[in-house]
C-alpha cells in the first residue's frame, strides 16, 4: 500500500519537475524576447532590474528636409551626469569651469537624480565642440559630453510628417511576423505612418551602468556605451521640404490668422512639396483627439471660381472663346440682375480676369450639351479629380502611396446632376458638388506652368541608410492619363496672368510684387452659417515667376465670413518671402 503511495508521489514530483523544466526552457531559451501574449522581452526586463541607462537615440528613423536638416528631432551636445556621482568624490569644480554652470547647481542636480540625465533636460545646456573635448578629457567616471537626440518642441509641417505613438495591439496587427517590443513607437498619421515599416528601430543607442539594490555601482564605476552596431540603421527619410521656407510659411499663416486652412507650395521643376501648412495646428495636450491631426491640404474642399480654369480649358478646345463674343455680366447665372458684381458686357478674357459667373455658367451649359462628361474630363486632364501624390512599387510593397490620406476630387456625384443644365452651370463656377484638394489645385497650376505636363507630387525624394547610401529612390514620375495641349496651356497661362495685370482683375493686388504672378482667385459658398451669415472658402492659386515658372502656390482660408479672411495678403507675403530667400 505504502509502495503505491510512494510511487504515486514520485510520479507527481517527476511530472511537476518536468513541467517546471519545460517552463524554464520556454522562458530562458525559447521566448526570451517575446514572452507571453504581451511579447515581453525578458532579456531587456532583466537587464533593467540591474542597470540604469540613458537613451541617446531611440533608434527610429529620422525625417530630413531636402538639404539634410533634421525636421522632427535635433542632435544636441549635452553634459550627462550619473547618479552614482553622489557616492564618490568627483571634480565638479572643473566641470563647472568648462560649462559655466555653478558648481553647487551641478552637485544639487546630481543629489536629486535617481537615473542618468542630460543636464538641463528638457531644455539642455548645449555644449560646443571644444567644451565636449575638455569634459571628456577629464575622464571623470559618470561625467560625459555626448551628442543626444531630442524631439523638437515645434515640429515643422507636423500634419504632413505625422505623429507617432505606442499601441501594443497595433504592433501585433501591423507586424505579426516581427519580434517587436510592445513599446515600439508606430506612425499613426502622415509620413510617419506611410513610411513606418522603414522607420522601425533596430535597437536603441544608450549609456548603461550596473547597479546594486541601493542604486550604487555594482561593477565599479564603468559606464558602457550600447549601440545596435548596424551601419545601415536607423534610416533617414529625405523629404522634399525646405525647413527654412516651411518655418517662414507657418509664421505667415499664423500672422494672417488662418484658423482653418493653410497653404501648399510646390517646386515646379521636380514637382515636389517645398512647404505645406495646415490649420488648426496639432494640439500638443491632446494630439490624437482633435481636428488638428487632419491635414486640410489633402482633403477635398469647395473651390469656387478657381474651377473656372477647368471650364476655360474646355472652352478653348471647343472654340467657345471667340474674341468677338460678348457675355452679359450684368446678370447672374439664373438671369436675374447682378447688383454686387455688375460688370456689363465682357469678352472671354475679361470675364476670366474679373471672374464673371454668368460667362462660365453659360460656357459650362454649352459644354454639357456637347458632352455631359466634358467638365469631368478636363478636371481629370488638369489632375484635379485624381490622386496626385507619388505612388508606385517599392520593394515588396505594390502601389505604395506617400500620401495615403489624400482625397480624390470630384465634379458631379450622380449621373442625374451630370445631365442637368442648371447643375452644370453651378458646377462651372466651382459650386454645387465640385471639390478638390489644395494639393491638387497647386498641381494644376504647376501642370499649366509646365505646358501641360502632368507629374506626381513628391513629399519624399529618397530613403537613405545611416551611412548615406540610398536605400529607396522616389524618382519624378508622370501622372497617367490625358492632359491639355501645349496650345491650351499657353492660352491658360495668358489668362492667369491677366487676372493680375488687368486693372479690374481679381488678382490685381499682386501686380507690383518682385516676382510676376499668374493665378486665379476663388470664393466659394459653403452652405454653412454662423449667426445667420453664410461662410465661404477663400482661395488664391497661382504660379511664379510668370516667364520662368519656379513655384506653384495655393493659399486657402476655410469657413470664413464674406467680409473677412482673405488670402491675398498671405499669398503676397509668401511671394515676397520667396523672392528675398532666392536673392539672399
Amino acid at each position: 500500500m505504502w509502495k503505491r503511495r510512494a510511487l504515486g508521489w514520485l510520479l507527481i514530483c517527476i511530472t511537476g519537475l518536468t513541467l517546471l523544466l519545460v517552463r524554464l526552457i520556454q522562458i530562458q531559451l525559447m521566448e526570451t524576447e517575446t514572452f507571453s501574449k504581451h511579447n515581453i522581452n525578458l532579456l531587456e526586463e532583466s537587464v533593467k532590474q540591474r542597470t540604469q541607462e540613458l537613451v541617446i537615440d531611440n533608434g527610429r528613423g529620422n525625417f530630413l528636409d531636402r538639404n539634410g536638416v533634421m525636421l522632427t528631432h535635433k542632435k544636441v551636445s549635452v553634459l550627462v551626469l550619473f547618479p552614482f556621482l553622489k557616492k564618490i568624490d568627483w571634480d565638479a569644480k572643473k566641470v563647472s569651469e568648462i560649462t559655466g554652470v555653478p558648481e553647487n547647481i551641478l552637485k544639487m542636480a546630481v543629489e536629486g537624480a535617481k537615473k542618468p540625465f542630460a543636464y538641463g533636460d528638457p531644455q539642455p545646456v548645449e555644449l560646443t565642440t571644444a567644451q565636449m573635448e575638455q569634459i571628456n578629457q577629464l575622464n571623470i567616471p559618470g561625467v560625459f559630453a555626448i551628442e543626444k537626440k531630442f524631439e523638437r518642441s515645434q515640429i515643422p509641417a507636423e500634419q504632413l510628417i505625422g505623429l507617432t505613438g505606442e499601441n501594443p495591439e497595433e504592433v501585433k496587427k501591423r507586424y505579426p511576423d516581427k519580434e517587436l517590443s510592445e513599446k515600439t513607437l508606430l506612425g499613426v498619421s502622415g509620413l510617419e505612418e506611410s513610411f513606418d515599416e522603414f522607420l522601425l528601430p533596430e535597437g536603441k543607442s544608450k549609456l548603461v551602468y550596473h547597479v546594486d539594490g541601493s542604486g550604487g555601482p555594482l561593477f565599479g564605476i564603468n559606464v558602457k556605451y550600447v549601440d545596435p552596431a548596424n551601419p545601415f540603421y536607423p534610416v533617414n527619410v529625405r523629404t522634399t521640404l525646405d525647413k527654412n521656407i516651411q518655418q517662414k510659411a507657418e509664421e505667415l499663416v499664423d500672422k494672417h490668422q488662418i484658423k482653418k486652412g493653410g497653404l501648399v507650395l510646390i517646386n515646379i521643376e521636380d514637382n515636389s512639396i517645398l512647404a505645406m501648412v495646415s490649420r488648426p495646428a496639432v494640439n500638443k495636450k491632446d494630439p490624437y483627439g482633435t481636428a488638428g491631426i487632419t491635414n486640410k491640404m489633402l482633403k477635398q474642399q469647395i473651390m469656387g471660381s478657381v474651377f473656372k480654369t477647368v471650364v476655360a480649358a474646355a472652352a478653348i478646345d471647343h472654340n467657345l472663346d471667340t474674341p468677338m463674343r460678348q457675355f452679359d455680366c450684368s446678370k447672374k447665372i439664373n438671369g436675374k440682375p447682378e447688383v454686387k458684381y455688375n460688370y456689363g458686357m465682357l469678352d472671354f478674357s475679361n470675364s476670366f480676369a474679373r471672374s464673371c459667373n454668368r460667362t462660365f455658367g453659360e460656357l459650362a451649359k454649352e459644354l454639357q450639351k456637347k458632352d455631359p462628361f466634358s467638365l469631368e474630363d478636363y478636371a481629370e486632364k488638369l489632375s484635379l479629380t485624381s490622386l496626385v501624390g507619388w505612388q508606385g512599387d517599392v520593394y515588396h510593397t505594390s502601389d505604395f502611396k506617400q500620401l495615403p490620406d489624400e482625397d480624390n476630387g470630384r465634379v458631379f456625384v450622380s449621373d442625374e446632376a451630370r445631365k442637368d443644365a442648371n447643375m452644370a452651370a453651378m458646377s462651372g463656377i466651382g459650386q454645387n458638388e465640385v471639390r478638390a484638394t489644395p494639393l491638387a489645385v497647386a498641381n494644376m497650376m504647376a501642370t499649366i506652368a509646365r505646358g501641360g505636363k502632368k507629374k506626381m507630387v513628391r513629399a519624399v525624394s529618397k530613403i537613405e541608410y545611416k551611412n548615406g547610401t540610398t536605400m529607396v529612390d522616389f524618382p519624378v514620375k508622370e501622372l497617367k492619363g490625358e492632359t491639355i495641349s501645349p496650345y491650351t496651356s499657353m492660352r491658360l497661362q495668358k489668362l492667369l496672368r491677366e487676372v493680375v495685370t488687368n486693372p479690374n482683375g481679381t488678382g490685381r493686388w499682386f501686380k507690383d510684387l518682385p516676382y510676376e504672378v499668374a493665378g486665379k482667385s476663388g470664393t466659394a459658398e459653403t452652405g454653412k452659417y454662423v449667426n445667420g451669415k453664410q461662410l465661404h472658402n477663400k482661395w488664391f492659386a497661382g504660379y511664379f515667376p510668370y516667364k520662368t515658372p519656379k513655384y506653384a502656390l495655393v493659399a486657402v482660408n476655410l469657413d470664413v465670413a464674406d467680409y473677412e479672411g482673405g488670402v491675398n495678403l498671405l499669398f503676397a507675403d509668401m511671394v515676397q518671402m520667396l523672392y528675398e530667400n532666392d536673392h539672399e
Side-chain angles (χ1 to χ4, degrees):
M1 187 74 171
W2 64 269
K3 289 184 178 181
R4 288 182 183 177
R5 288 181 179 178
L7 185 60
W9 278 110
L10 182 61
L11 288 172
I12 291 172
C13 290
I14 292 173
T15 302
L17 288 172
T18 303
L19 290 172
L20 286 173
L21 182 61
V22 170
R23 184 62 167 165
L24 188 62
I25 292 172
Q26 180 186 23
I27 293 173
Q28 295 286 348
L29 301 176
M30 297 174 64
E31 296 184 7
T32 54
E33 298 183 10
T34 56
F35 179 68
S36 83
K37 63 180 181 180
H38 299 293
N39 284 336
I40 297 171
N41 190 318
L42 294 174
L43 295 178
E44 286 186 359
E45 294 302 317
S46 65
V47 169
K48 283 182 182 178
Q49 290 181 351
R50 64 179 189 273
T51 63
Q52 289 190 355
E53 62 185 42
L54 176 70
V55 175
I56 300 169
D57 190 325
N58 65 9
R60 185 170 173 85
N62 305 298
F63 284 95
L64 313 179
D65 83 342
R66 61 172 48 216
N67 300 310
V69 179
M70 294 182 76
L71 291 171
T72 57
H73 293 77
K74 59 181 177 180
K75 289 187 176 179
V76 182
S77 299
V78 295
L79 173 67
V80 172
L81 301 173
F82 279 71
F84 65 70
L85 287 168
K86 69 184 76 171
K87 299 188 177 185
I88 65 173
D89 184 22
W90 62 290
D91 199 340
K93 183 178 180 181
K94 284 187 178 179
V95 177
S96 173
E97 290 172 355
I98 296 170
T99 62
V101 180
E103 181 181 350
N104 65 316
I105 300 296
L106 287 174
K107 288 186 173 180
M108 284 176 59
V110 170
E111 285 297 324
K114 294 183 179 179
K115 58 184 180 180
F117 65 98
Y119 179 78
D121 194 7
Q123 294 182 323
V125 175
E126 189 164 357
L127 304 176
T128 65
T129 303
Q131 286 174 318
M132 286 184 69
E133 291 177 355
Q134 291 172 26
I135 288 170
N136 289 329
Q137 285 172 2
L138 294 175
N139 290 319
I140 300 175
V143 178
F144 301 92
I146 62 166
E147 194 175 56
K148 186 177 185 299
K149 188 167 119 177
F150 291 88
E151 184 176 359
R152 293 184 185 275
S153 57
Q154 295 295 324
I155 296 176
E158 194 159 17
Q159 288 95 339
L160 174 63
I161 292 175
L163 305 178
T164 59
E166 293 181 6
N167 189 328
E169 291 183 1
E170 184 64 20
V171 169
K172 293 180 189 176
K173 179 182 175 183
R174 200 180 288 184
Y175 304 110
D177 300 326
K178 293 191 176 183
E179 296 180 356
L180 297 171
S181 165
E182 281 191 329
K183 296 185 178 181
T184 299
L185 281 178
L186 295 180
V188 296
S189 67
L191 300 177
E192 288 276 16
E193 183 176 16
S194 56
F195 285 84
D196 189 56
E197 188 172 0
F198 298 101
L199 297 166
L200 291 174
E202 289 283 307
K204 299 175 181 178
S205 299
K206 51 195 175 183
L207 294 176
V208 178
Y209 79 104
H210 292 263
V211 295
D212 57 24
S214 64
L218 188 60
F219 303 120
I221 45 183
N222 292 323
V223 175
K224 292 183 178 180
Y225 173 72
V226 178
D227 185 78
N230 190 326
F232 299 106
Y233 291 90
V235 301
N236 293 313
V237 176
R238 189 175 287 259
T239 71
T240 61
L241 295 170
D242 184 303
K243 182 173 177 286
N244 179 47
I245 292 175
Q246 175 69 35
Q247 289 179 323
K248 289 178 180 177
E250 293 188 13
E251 290 170 6
L252 289 173
V253 166
D254 293 335
K255 172 188 171 184
H256 292 287
Q257 300 181 355
I258 307 295
K259 300 291 193 300
K260 184 179 179 182
L263 62 81
V264 179
L265 178 68
I266 288 179
N267 179 41
I268 291 175
E269 182 181 0
D270 61 6
N271 218 51
S272 57
I273 300 170
L274 284 171
M276 180 178 281
V277 183
S278 177
R279 293 292 182 265
V282 175
N283 183 349
K284 297 293 185 182
K285 295 180 180 178
D286 185 19
Y288 308 110
T290 66
I293 196 174
T294 302
N295 191 340
K296 295 286 190 295
M297 301 302 99
L298 302 180
K299 297 302 172 185
Q300 57 173 229
Q301 314 291 349
I302 306 172
M303 57 191 300
S305 293
V306 174
F307 189 73
K308 291 172 183 173
T309 309
V310 173
V311 182
I316 291 167
D317 282 359
H318 287 85
N319 299 315
L320 301 178
D321 62 328
T322 52
M324 301 304 295
R325 184 177 181 184
Q326 297 287 304
F327 299 87
D328 189 356
C329 293
S330 64
K331 295 180 180 179
K332 296 180 179 180
I333 287 180
N334 58 13
K336 293 182 179 180
E338 176 62 78
V339 178
K340 189 174 182 181
Y341 303 108
N342 183 357
Y343 301 139
M345 302 300 292
L346 296 178
D347 61 14
F348 177 74
S349 181
N350 277 287
S351 290
F352 189 85
R354 302 190 71 172
S355 203
C356 170
N357 285 342
R358 175 77 174 183
T359 300
F360 288 89
E362 286 188 14
L363 289 171
K365 286 196 286 187
E366 291 175 24
L367 289 164
Q368 187 255 358
K369 280 184 180 180
K370 290 176 177 288
D371 181 359
F373 291 91
S374 182
L375 292 181
E376 289 166 303
D377 289 344
Y378 276 84
E380 178 65 25
K381 286 182 179 182
L382 286 165
S383 71
L384 272 189
T385 51
S386 58
L387 298 178
V388 300
W390 196 98
Q391 54 186 300
D393 295 339
V394 177
Y395 278 164
H396 57 275
T397 305
S398 60
D399 199 27
F400 174 83
K401 292 182 175 67
Q402 289 191 0
L403 305 171
D405 295 331
E406 180 192 1
D407 283 350
N408 285 95
R410 73 185 196 215
V411 179
F412 297 108
V413 173
S414 66
D415 194 54
E416 182 182 358
R418 187 178 293 111
K419 295 177 180 178
D420 186 296
N422 292 325
M423 290 283 196
M426 290 301 293
S427 299
I429 62 170
Q431 291 287 165
N432 197 35
E433 297 169 346
V434 176
R435 304 285 188 277
T437 67
L439 178 67
V441 173
N443 196 46
M444 174 178 74
M445 289 297 164
T447 298
I448 293 169
R450 281 193 299 266
K453 294 178 181 178
K454 292 198 302 185
K455 295 180 181 180
M456 294 181 184
V457 180
R458 296 187 304 169
V460 171
S461 60
K462 60 182 174 178
I463 303 174
E464 300 170 330
Y465 286 116
K466 182 181 177 180
N467 62 9
T469 58
T470 298
M471 176 186 187
V472 179
D473 188 47
F474 299 96
V476 177
K477 291 176 66 175
E478 291 186 3
L479 270 175
K480 294 180 180 179
E482 293 184 31
T483 186
I484 56 174
S485 68
Y487 170 77
T488 305
S489 298
M490 180 191 67
R491 290 290 311 280
L492 289 177
Q493 290 168 6
K494 289 183 178 179
L495 288 173
L496 293 168
R497 179 59 181 156
E498 286 179 31
V499 169
V500 177
T501 58
N502 189 310
N504 297 309
T506 57
R508 57 188 179 276
W509 327 104
F510 307 127
K511 68 179 187 302
D512 295 324
L513 290 174
Y515 275 145
E516 292 183 333
V517 173
K520 184 73 188 75
S521 61
T523 302
E525 295 179 351
T526 64
K528 302 175 187 176
Y529 291 83
V530 172
N531 298 325
K533 294 178 180 177
Q534 168 89 275
L535 298 182
H536 297 77
N537 291 345
K538 298 193 175 183
W539 300 69
F540 197 87
Y543 68 90
F544 50 92
Y546 172 63
K547 294 177 182 176
T548 55
K550 185 174 182 180
Y551 304 107
L553 174 64
V554 169
V556 58
N557 202 357
L558 304 170
D559 293 338
V560 291
D562 186 33
Y563 54 85
E564 64 183 16
V567 292
N568 287 344
L569 291 177
L570 170 60
F571 193 99
D573 280 354
M574 280 293 296
V575 176
Q576 183 71 42
M577 179 270 288
L578 290 165
Y579 178 84
E580 292 172 359
N581 188 71
D582 290 343
H583 291 81
E584 283 181 352

